[in-house]
Amino acid sequence: MNDTRTTTAATRAEYCVVACAEVWRGAGEVLASPMGTVPTIGARLAKLVFSPDLLLTDGEALLIRDVPALGAGPGVVEGWLPFRQHLALVATGRRHVMMGASQLDRYGNQNISCIGDWARPTRQLLGVRGAPANTLNHPTSYWVPRHSKRVFVERVDMVCGVGYDRAAAAGPSASRHHRIADVVSDLGVFDFRTPDRTMRLRSLHPGVTLGQVLEATGFPLAVPDEVPYTREPSAVELRLIREVIDPGALRDREVPA
């Protein structure tokens, strides 16, 4: 593919799509499990551009070979992945999920269950779901479409996805396969590549300042001396996003321009 730069300005949502796609760069033959509109577009973009062996589903129980537009059915079905087989696949490590987070702390502990004290929460959310098994068995990333201190908190109210501090404290059985790869928000990209495994700012989306990120984060964030911008989508990637994967521009509902 010709990877020339585009002359049409990319939107914030499209930078987020590319950042999510990068989560699966070079992943090989693993199952991509994106949760959310932007991560779903990102996984499909990754398969089309630089991770052709990536396994995708229709969001339910079918493994699909082609890359349909959002909302369209698959043209080629290559396998059947019912829930019981999906759970078995999780245990093998051959999956990279990108989950959401109602709360996320500096070590990558994630909460999607409740807000407030567990015995008497002020808000009931999704529940723990498969977050513990995900984080202890295969690579996990997070997508946060609204970066704020309500999400990026000093301490999560309940641990669902296991962070680096808790995995280390639990010992080798928990930490052996534990890896939180990336956190992508509408402001930037983050990882945990620090000596103490706390969250680090890796890149800012164009138009976002370091001050905005620090103001919207409820804990001290590791910041390198020079913070790059998230890479620009290529002309090929923008065409695929706009014309092939998401012609209805659903990405702009999740990350408004």
Side-chain angles (χ1 to χ4, degrees), residues 4-154:
T4 55
R5 297 293 97 186
T6 178
T7 56
T8 304
T11 65
R12 179 74 61 81
E14 288 161 345
Y15 276 98
C16 292
V17 166
V18 166
C20 289
E22 288 290 344
V23 165
W24 290 286
R25 180 181 285 274
E29 192 176 347
V30 303
L31 179 67
S33 293
M35 299 181 185
T37 299
V38 166
T40 298
I41 301 169
R44 295 184 184 193
L45 182 67
K47 183 174 178 66
L48 287 174
V49 179
F50 47 70
S51 294
D53 295 330
L54 203 62
L55 300 178
L56 300 178
T57 75
D58 65 345
E60 294 186 14
L62 298 178
L63 284 170
I64 61 176
R65 179 176 296 176
D66 59 336
V67 181
L70 293 188
V76 181
V77 175
E78 63 178 0
W80 170 242
L81 192 67
F83 192 61
R84 63 182 180 278
Q85 290 182 325
H86 205 135
L87 291 176
L89 184 65
V90 167
T92 69
R94 297 179 57 227
R95 180 180 185 240
H96 189 149
V97 64
M98 193 167 207
M99 294 191 288
S102 301
Q103 291 180 327
L104 198 63
D105 70 20
R106 72 178 74 188
Y107 291 101
N109 294 293
Q110 169 239 37
N111 175 24
I112 51 173
S113 183
C114 64
I115 303 298
D117 183 78
W118 183 85
R120 194 175 181 84
T122 58
R123 293 288 187 275
Q124 179 65 53
L125 305 174
L126 290 173
V128 175
R129 312 286 289 187
N134 289 344
T135 49
L136 297 184
N137 285 287
H138 58 66
T140 299
S141 294
Y142 293 109
W143 161 241
V144 180
R146 299 288 185 274
H147 191 128
S148 73
K149 288 184 177 179
R150 294 181 63 182
V151 178
F152 290 80
V153 296
E154 179 66 34

Side-chain angles (χ1 to χ4, degrees), residues 121-250:
T122 58
R123 293 288 187 275
Q124 179 65 53
L125 305 174
L126 290 173
V128 175
R129 312 286 289 187
N134 289 344
T135 49
L136 297 184
N137 285 287
H138 58 66
T140 299
S141 294
Y142 293 109
W143 161 241
V144 180
R146 299 288 185 274
H147 191 128
S148 73
K149 288 184 177 179
R150 294 181 63 182
V151 178
F152 290 80
V153 296
E154 179 66 34
R155 182 181 177 87
V156 297
D157 292 340
M158 179 175 178
V159 175
C160 299
V162 180
Y164 277 101
D165 58 340
R166 290 178 177 270
S173 62
S175 61
R176 183 179 296 115
H177 304 298
H178 176 267
R179 182 167 78 87
I180 304 175
D182 295 319
V183 176
V184 179
S185 81
D186 61 330
L187 298 185
V189 181
F190 308 82
D191 60 32
F192 299 87
R193 298 173 192 174
T194 56
D196 59 354
R197 290 297 198 175
T198 56
M199 193 181 295
R200 177 187 73 150
L201 173 62
R202 195 167 80 217
S203 71
L204 294 167
H205 300 326
V208 178
T209 67
L210 175 59
Q212 283 177 289
V213 172
L214 296 178
E215 177 62 27
T217 305
F219 51 81
L221 192 63
V223 179
D225 293 335
E226 294 187 13
V227 183
Y229 284 113
T230 304
R231 77 166 179 87
E232 180 185 3
S234 70
V236 168
E237 289 171 330
L238 278 183
R239 181 186 66 79
L240 289 171
I241 293 169
R242 294 171 178 178
E243 299 176 17
V244 177
I245 305 171
D246 185 29
L250 297 177

